[in-house]
Amino acid sequence: MSTELERLTARIRACRICVETPKGKPLPHEPHPVVRLSAKARTLIAGQAPGTKVHASGAPFTDASGDRLRDWLGVTAQEFYDTDKFAIVPMGFCFPGQDAKGGDLPPRCECAPAWRSEIMATMPQIDLVLAIGLYAQRWHMGAARQRSLTETVAGWRTAWDDGAARKVLPLPHPSWRNTSWMKRHPWFEMELLPFLKTEIRRRLD
């Protein structure tokens, strides 16, 4: 990692804006930002926010969702966690806490405005962004994002062919809660995932 990225990573890991100057209620626990920047990776995984297991481990996607995501990408855990191969930067860096029903809250709204533009500027080699979920799609896709996640993911070819140097592929969250969504939309596994695997392997090889 370059000195510039090392300094940026250190600043992010020391960030406390969601506790000291929050927009709304402060983070209900000590901040524990989880990001992986890279000076070499061509692919950025833009997820939502860490869950409880990632909050505890300090490593992204160390849960069942990570297993499914790695299967979607066609990569091993060793490849996935190699920062020369993948940068991993969620929209919210810290576990946001849970709602009254025990579900994870949305990503903190402070992270992206404070950090994302600088992060993207310091990783100019990124030429593929995997926008996982609505929050990443809102930030990275702009006008290419449709009214719903399903419409946005279904329109992946249009987003891919928009002529931008930095390609964006929209994906649903790899949570096992989305298994029924995948069954209702078989084109995701039949069309998008083979294309995704090919693009990932081309960048790794």
Side-chain angles (χ1 to χ4, degrees):
M1 185 184 294
S2 69
T3 301
E4 184 180 13
L5 283 177
E6 287 177 351
R7 290 173 178 168
L8 178 56
T9 299
R11 288 168 50 214
I12 290 170
R13 289 178 177 164
C15 181
R16 295 180 57 81
I17 58 174
C18 55
V19 172
E20 295 174 355
T21 56
K23 296 180 179 178
K25 293 182 179 180
L27 191 72
H29 48 258
E30 189 67 14
H32 186 192
V34 179
V35 298
R36 292 201 170 200
L37 307 186
S38 173
K40 295 183 179 180
R42 296 176 59 189
T43 302
L44 167 66
I45 298 172
Q48 297 191 133
T52 53
K53 291 184 178 179
V54 173
H55 178 70
S57 71
F61 290 102
T62 49
D63 51 21
S65 295
D67 294 336
R68 171 172 268 181
L69 179 58
R70 286 183 281 276
D71 181 64
W72 286 358
L73 302 180
V75 300
T76 64
Q78 183 178 2
E79 289 174 318
F80 185 80
Y81 290 111
D82 184 344
T83 53
D84 284 352
K85 294 178 170 61
F86 293 97
I88 306 175
V89 186
M91 298 309 297
F93 300 155
C94 297
F95 170 52
Q98 296 178 323
D99 60 26
K101 297 181 179 179
D104 288 358
L105 291 169
R108 296 292 307 193
C109 60
E110 298 90 351
C111 294
W115 295 106
R116 206 147 195 97
S117 295
E118 182 178 1
I119 287 171
M120 299 307 293
T122 27
M123 296 193 298
Q125 84 285 352
I126 295 291
D127 64 5
L128 173 59
V129 176
L130 305 182
I132 299 174
L134 286 172
Y135 296 95
Q137 289 160 17
R138 286 172 184 167
W139 184 273
H140 286 283
M141 297 187 68
R145 186 179 68 87
Q146 303 301 313
R147 290 177 298 176
S148 69
L149 181 142
T150 297
E151 290 174 316
T152 300
V153 178
W156 65 273
R157 291 186 185 276
T158 300
W160 185 267
D161 293 334
D162 70 354
R166 182 175 276 166
K167 300 294 187 181
V168 180
L169 269 180
L171 300 173
H173 194 278
S175 167
W176 293 96
R177 296 175 182 175
N178 283 332
T179 298
S180 61
W181 182 93
M182 295 174 65
K183 289 180 179 178
R184 292 195 306 273
H185 304 288
W187 49 263
F188 177 74
E189 290 186 293
M190 296 174 63
E191 300 173 17
L192 196 160
L193 289 188
F195 181 86
L196 171 61
K197 286 182 172 70
T198 298
E199 289 298 319
I200 292 298
R201 188 51 53 187
R202 185 169 67 83
R203 284 164 173 78
L204 298 185
D205 294 342

